[in-house]
Amino acid sequence: MKVLLVEFSIAGHSLTYISKLAESDLYEAVLVVPEKIKTLNCKQYELELQEHKNPLQYFKWIVDLKKIIKKEKPDVVHLLYGDNFYRYCGLGLRLLGKNKTILTLHWIKGDKFHKISTKSIAHRVKQIIVHSDYMKNQLKILNINNAERIEYPYFSIIQPDKIKAKEYFDLKNNIPVLCCLGSARDFALHLKNQFHLSLYYSSMT
């Protein structure tokens, strides 16, 4: 089976994500990425959507992707960051082949426009992938029944420590750190209250 993996960015955790999917022994992976990933040996096409807010660039990207699909004839087309299709309600997705296209959504908004857009996207693909029961339930509320929850891939172990957390937030030693968590991005959240909760995020890449 041949799977075409389509990603809009290879920055941060996106690189780790697509790399692990590309290394699977379950299928032949072909990548469509904004720039080639030198650490991977699989076939790759460079295709960048420079500004998805520009409708002309968006639809040109769709047409160019269709050309790659026509050439490669994959069994599955997996759009790894489907959130970029909200703005245009998924218009153009059917050109990629509804019966072979799946799409991963990472967030859902509850306003009227995004509800309409989510339904429109769902009608244009074979399946929607989400990584939480909450998101799957939100899609069910919208009467979207072609969604499947798949556990977010587990890549590696990271060990953030309390000392680095205190240094990052400039906390005194006598201030307790209630928890110390890792994440795929470099990001910090500091909640000041009666107790200090420090969440120290360490990049996986």
Side-chain angles (χ1 to χ4, degrees), residues 10-29:
I10 58 170
H13 72 294
S14 295
L15 176 59
T16 305
Y17 188 85
I18 195 170
S19 296
K20 292 298 181 182
L21 293 177
E23 293 168 353
S24 174
D25 295 327
L26 300 176
Y27 49 78
E28 175 192 354

Side-chain angles (χ1 to χ4, degrees), residues 61-90:
W61 182 88
I62 289 283
V63 171
D64 289 342
L65 179 57
K66 182 183 178 181
K67 292 177 182 177
I68 295 173
I69 293 170
K70 185 177 181 180
K71 179 180 179 180
E72 287 295 327
K73 297 179 174 58
D75 300 289
V76 177
V77 177
H78 187 176
L79 305 169
L80 298 176
Y81 194 76
D83 310 75
N84 276 349
F85 296 96
Y86 277 128
R87 176 176 293 273
Y88 302 107
C89 299

Side-chain angles (χ1 to χ4, degrees), residues 86-87 89-90 105 107-124 128 134 137-144:
Y86 277 128
R87 176 176 293 273
C89 299
L105 291 178
W107 54 268
I108 296 175
K109 289 187 177 181
D111 60 274
K112 187 174 181 179
F113 170 77
H114 280 89
K115 287 180 180 179
I116 294 172
S117 180
T118 305
K119 288 181 179 181
S120 179
I121 289 171
H123 288 144
R124 288 171 164 79
I128 291 178
Y134 170 79
N137 290 335
Q138 291 299 304
L139 293 175
K140 281 185 177 180
I141 292 173
L142 296 175
N143 294 317
I144 294 173

Side-chain angles (χ1 to χ4, degrees), residues 35-157:
E35 59 182 283
K36 288 188 177 181
I37 303 171
K38 296 179 181 179
T39 55
L40 296 178
N41 294 321
C42 60
K43 191 172 186 179
Q44 302 179 47
Y45 291 87
E46 290 188 58
L47 181 61
E48 183 179 10
L49 178 58
Q50 294 181 348
E51 182 51 73
H52 76 277
K53 294 180 180 180
N54 183 319
L56 293 179
Q57 289 192 23
Y58 167 79
F59 286 109
K60 182 182 183 302
W61 182 88
I62 289 283
V63 171
D64 289 342
L65 179 57
K66 182 183 178 181
K67 292 177 182 177
I68 295 173
I69 293 170
K70 185 177 181 180
K71 179 180 179 180
E72 287 295 327
K73 297 179 174 58
D75 300 289
V76 177
V77 177
H78 187 176
L79 305 169
L80 298 176
Y81 194 76
D83 310 75
N84 276 349
F85 296 96
Y86 277 128
R87 176 176 293 273
Y88 302 107
C89 299
L91 292 177
L93 285 175
R94 283 182 177 168
L95 294 175
L96 308 181
K98 179 179 179 180
N99 294 328
K100 65 171 64 176
T101 303
I102 64 175
L103 173 150
T104 298
L105 291 178
H106 299 272
W107 54 268
I108 296 175
K109 289 187 177 181
D111 60 274
K112 187 174 181 179
F113 170 77
H114 280 89
K115 287 180 180 179
I116 294 172
S117 180
T118 305
K119 288 181 179 181
S120 179
I121 289 171
H123 288 144
R124 288 171 164 79
V125 297
K126 182 177 182 180
Q127 191 169 63
I128 291 178
I129 304 298
V130 295
H131 293 312
S132 70
D133 289 327
Y134 170 79
M135 288 189 65
K136 185 175 181 179
N137 290 335
Q138 291 299 304
L139 293 175
K140 281 185 177 180
I141 292 173
L142 296 175
N143 294 317
I144 294 173
N145 298 310
N146 61 333
E148 186 67 33
R149 176 191 177 274
I150 296 179
E151 192 70 28
Y152 193 88
Y154 173 79
F155 300 131
S156 61
I157 298 175

